[in-house]
Amino acid sequence: MPSACDSLIDDIEDMVSFNEPTPHERQSARKCVVPRSRKKKELVTNEELQADSLIPGTQKIWVKTWGCSHNNSDGEYMAGQLAASGYKMTDDPTEADLWLLNSCTVKNPAEDHFRNSIKKAQEQEKKVVVAGCVPQAQPRMEYLKGLSIIGVLCFIFWGIYFLFPGHSVRLLGQKKDGGRRLGGARLDLPKIRKNPLIEIISINTGCLNACTYCKTKHARGDLASYPIDELVERARQSFQEGVCEIWLTSEDTGAYGRDIGTDLPTLLWRLVEEIPEGAMLRLGMTNPPYILEHLEEMAKILNTPRVYAFLHVPVQSASDSVLMDMKREYCVDDFRRVVDFLKERVPGITIATDIICGFPGETEADFQETMNLVKCYRFPSLFINQFYPRPGTPAAKMEQVPAHVKKQRTKELSQLFHSYNPYDHKIGERQCVLVTEESFDAQYYVAHNKFYEQVLVPRQAEFKGKMIEVDIYESGKHFLKGRPVEDSKPFTPSIAAPLERGEVSVIFFIIWEIFQQNNCDFILALLFKQQK
């Protein structure tokens, strides 16, 4: 079977267009179809089909996602499309008929968890579909043989439908328009949000750079940005469905629009116009080279009341020689310029960053430069990663730093990070916070203030999805605790009641309607039954 969508259809959504016959026209054309006669004993009954679980809606599916917010958004789209197509989604893997495993290829541990989940599913005799960056970048891996694969740009429904009768499909193609690569899935597809209050919007896929350690580039490819109007419409629709917080995500939000003649500030100003009072917008990761030319505009945007004063800017190393080997396309002074400028123009801003310990060729002096950078800025949010060579990347072929050295440097940097508490000076402040989540221990609700600092508040039902006023009375390494101000009423920022957990957003049942009106599910099931 062809392994790319291009050789058949790019997506199931491409089957339905304004040029397609209407269901009525399809019904009228049936009189021209002459069925092939079969012996009576070969006929399949509805009861037999139900018993074989071939009809969509009779199976339960569990979706597990690893990785970044972009991956999580993809997983939400997958769940939404499956639910809109008749499948039942479940949070319990033991009761599921099929596991949909949406992978991350950034680090070895994430892929190890993914591989172990495949093995566990097979041991429990579950059907398996693998998706995401790992199979897109490495579809010929031994442990993926015989499995159905859905790439990062293909529609999930057909892969599931064909699998239940025992078929295996691989959909890995990329969508193009006039030779130009398009972004990911359409933004108006059904979605089941993991958190009904938060909408994750991918503004572009892929990136411009090709870092020597990065495997994600192999999966996501070159930069492909969504048009501004589509992104604005998705945000508008999300607020109409009760969302009170939007996350913008991609492999590099700062590079947005460079392939379509626009830029990130232009998009952000349009989105700010759509944010209801009290709702918030959070920006995703941006690399230093692509934010430098927009610093003035970005400072203005981050100062607006409805945008979190928060930016994730990965530095990876404070050594220019290491950055050169990483092919990061900036020097540490560029990173410092970004941070210093934003700290001056956006008082209180939270700058989060990433650091890789033990990159090939990193000397002790290189590492000490990174330690000094952290001592200087005391980042409140720091993602520390021990270097893992990813197969097929240039960095995997470089001379590696000994494993014990990598571990020691990771430990030293972690100890430095945990040696300071960035929030002690916040005690006594009165803050407005937006409550969107529940803490892991279920003891508190989790809110965020203007600087996207985590604030734990009492777990009172009336606070969920609301903007409330609190007095900060305690701080920890990663959080603040807030006491609701007496006589202060929670403010509802959303313009509609949020969807219930597991409810499908932006429900377009056009495809499913055509299936039902033409009994396509029954016809396909008969076909599968014959091929068994």
Side-chain angles (χ1 to χ4, degrees):
M1 174 175 286
S3 61
C5 299
D6 306 293
S7 58
L8 293 175
I9 52 174
D10 281 342
D11 227 328
I12 197 168
E13 68 201 62
D14 297 330
M15 296 177 63
V16 184
S17 71
F18 295 112
N19 297 322
E20 287 286 322
T22 65
H24 176 74
E25 290 170 336
R26 292 176 187 271
Q27 185 71 29
S28 300
R30 284 183 178 178
K31 61 187 178 182
C32 301
V33 179
V34 181
R36 181 167 62 99
S37 63
R38 296 186 300 173
K39 294 180 181 179
K40 187 175 182 179
K41 66 180 181 179
E42 293 178 350
L43 294 176
V44 182
T45 66
N46 278 317
E47 289 77 14
E48 289 175 309
L49 291 172
Q50 287 280 359
D52 282 344
S53 295
L54 298 180
I55 298 177
T58 63
Q59 306 94 0
K60 292 182 179 179
I61 298 176
W62 177 61
V63 179
K64 170 66 175 177
T65 295
W66 290 267
C68 64
S69 55
H70 192 165
N71 244 27
N72 277 277
S73 179
D74 288 349
E76 291 177 351
Y77 275 124
M78 292 174 189
Q81 291 166 75
L82 290 168
S85 302
Y87 293 97
K88 296 179 178 66
M89 312 309 296
T90 179
D91 292 327
D92 184 356
T94 62
E95 71 173 18
D97 300 298
L98 179 144
W99 290 9
L100 172 54
L101 305 176
N102 185 24
S103 62
C104 171
T105 191
V106 172
K107 293 188 289 186
N108 289 24
E111 184 172 349
D112 290 342
H113 287 306
F114 171 62
R115 183 169 53 247
N116 291 337
S117 293
I118 293 174
K119 183 179 179 181
K120 186 175 181 180
Q122 292 169 333
E123 291 173 347
Q124 297 182 23
E125 298 184 341
K126 304 289 186 181
K127 300 284 188 181
V128 181
V129 169
V130 294
C133 293
V134 170
Q136 181 73 51
Q138 301 168 273
R140 294 180 178 84
M141 291 292 287
E142 183 67 27
Y143 68 89
L144 298 180
K145 284 186 176 179
L147 299 179
S148 283
I149 289 177
I150 307 297
V152 296
L153 298 177
C154 288
F155 195 99
I156 189 67
F157 175 68
W158 276 108
I160 300 292
Y161 198 104
F162 277 78
L163 180 65
F164 276 111
H167 295 264
S168 175
V169 296
R170 294 197 166 199
L171 303 176
L172 296 167
Q174 296 184 350
K175 301 184 71 174
K176 296 183 179 180
D177 179 16
R180 185 181 69 84
R181 178 174 171 272
L182 300 177
R186 273 188 4 223
L187 293 175
D188 58 1
L189 293 174
K191 177 186 254 195
I192 293 181
R193 300 184 184 99
K194 188 175 181 180
N195 184 335
L197 298 173
I198 298 175
E199 166 69 357
I200 306 172
I201 302 179
S202 302
I203 63 174
N204 54 264
T205 63
C207 60
L208 291 173
N209 198 17
C211 300
T212 56
Y213 57 83
C214 184
K215 190 71 177 178
T216 305
K217 176 78 172 186
H218 297 187
R220 298 284 184 179
D222 295 326
L223 180 69
S225 303
Y226 287 100
I228 287 179
D229 288 344
E230 292 182 18
L231 293 165
V232 171
E233 181 56 35
R234 180 72 202 189
R236 185 181 297 124
Q237 177 68 36
S238 299
F239 288 124
Q240 291 172 354
E241 293 169 351
V243 162
C244 61
E245 186 170 290
I246 284 182
W247 298 357
L248 300 186
T249 185
S250 76
E251 283 63 60
D252 188 349
T253 58
Y256 172 79
R258 287 174 176 248
D259 57 322
I260 57 174
T262 186
D263 55 42
L264 181 62
T266 302
L267 168 64
L268 293 177
W269 284 124
R270 286 284 306 278
L271 287 173
V272 167
E273 295 174 1
E274 301 296 330
I275 305 173
E277 183 182 359
M280 297 297 289
L281 174 70
R282 192 194 82 171
L283 303 186
M285 185 273 289
T286 177
N287 285 309
Y290 309 120
I291 202 69
L292 277 169
E293 65 189 75
H294 301 308
L295 288 177
E296 288 279 359
E297 284 300 293
M298 291 302 298
K300 294 176 184 177
I301 291 165
L302 292 169
N303 273 315
T304 59
R306 301 177 192 184
V307 178
Y308 286 117
F310 167 88
L311 200 60
H312 179 192
V313 188
V315 64
Q316 305 300 7
S317 173
S319 165
D320 285 343
S321 63
V322 173
L323 291 174
M324 185 177 298
D325 289 341
M326 290 179 172
K327 200 179 176 182
R328 290 291 287 169
E329 298 190 339
Y330 60 86
C331 62
V332 71
D333 283 345
D334 292 331
F335 174 81
R336 288 178 178 273
R337 181 183 165 199
V338 170
V339 176
D340 292 343
F341 185 94
L342 292 177
K343 279 182 169 291
E344 178 185 347
R345 300 295 183 90
V346 188
I349 187 174
T350 296
I351 298 291
T353 195
D354 299 357
I355 289 174
I356 296 174
C357 293
F359 186 81
E362 181 187 65
T363 66
E364 185 61 31
D366 294 330
F367 175 67
Q368 287 306 316
E369 289 186 60
T370 298
M371 291 282 285
N372 291 336
L373 184 78
V374 175
K375 290 175 184 176
C376 174
Y377 288 103
R378 296 167 65 91
F379 301 103
S381 182
L382 178 62
F383 303 96
I384 302 170
N385 302 290
Q386 180 178 315
F387 175 75
Y388 291 96
R390 303 298 291 134
T393 62
K397 301 175 184 178
M398 297 177 182
E399 184 176 351
Q400 303 296 304
V401 172
H404 72 279
V405 176
K406 290 192 290 186
K407 290 180 181 178
Q408 180 59 32
R409 290 176 183 172
T410 303
K411 181 180 179 181
E412 284 184 37
L413 186 57
S414 297
Q415 288 174 340
L416 171 59
F417 174 60
H418 287 283
S419 69
Y420 59 86
N421 189 336
Y423 302 131
D424 285 346
H425 65 286
K426 301 272 184 174
I427 295 176
E429 290 185 1
R430 178 164 291 185
Q431 301 178 349
C432 285
V433 298
L434 180 59
V435 184
T436 57
E437 304 170 63
E438 186 178 279
S439 63
F440 288 118
D441 60 6
Q443 298 299 306
Y444 301 91
Y445 277 157
V446 178
H448 291 93
N449 58 22
K450 163 67 176 172
F451 310 105
Y452 203 69
E453 295 161 342
Q454 184 172 266
V455 182
L456 303 181
V457 300
R459 195 172 181 273
Q460 296 176 214
E462 65 270 23
F463 291 162
K464 197 70 175 288
K466 307 290 196 305
M467 184 79 76
I468 65 173
E469 196 173 20
V470 299
D471 288 325
I472 302 300
Y473 67 92
E474 185 179 329
S475 70
K477 176 62 182 176
H478 302 287
F479 65 89
L480 296 162
K481 285 186 180 179
R483 184 180 295 111
V485 175
E486 290 186 17
D487 301 325
S488 177
K489 295 182 179 179
F491 177 74
T492 304
S494 58
I495 58 178
L499 299 174
E500 295 295 325
R501 178 175 169 79
E503 189 174 353
V504 183
S505 73
V506 197
I507 303 178
F508 294 123
F509 286 110
I510 299 174
I511 299 169
W512 188 239
E513 285 289 326
I514 291 176
F515 279 174
Q516 289 183 316
Q517 291 184 41
N518 291 277
N519 292 319
C520 289
D521 56 315
F522 185 76
I523 294 168
L524 286 172
L526 285 173
L527 174 63
F528 295 147
K529 186 76 175 181
Q530 283 182 305
Q531 293 179 352
K532 274 191 165 184

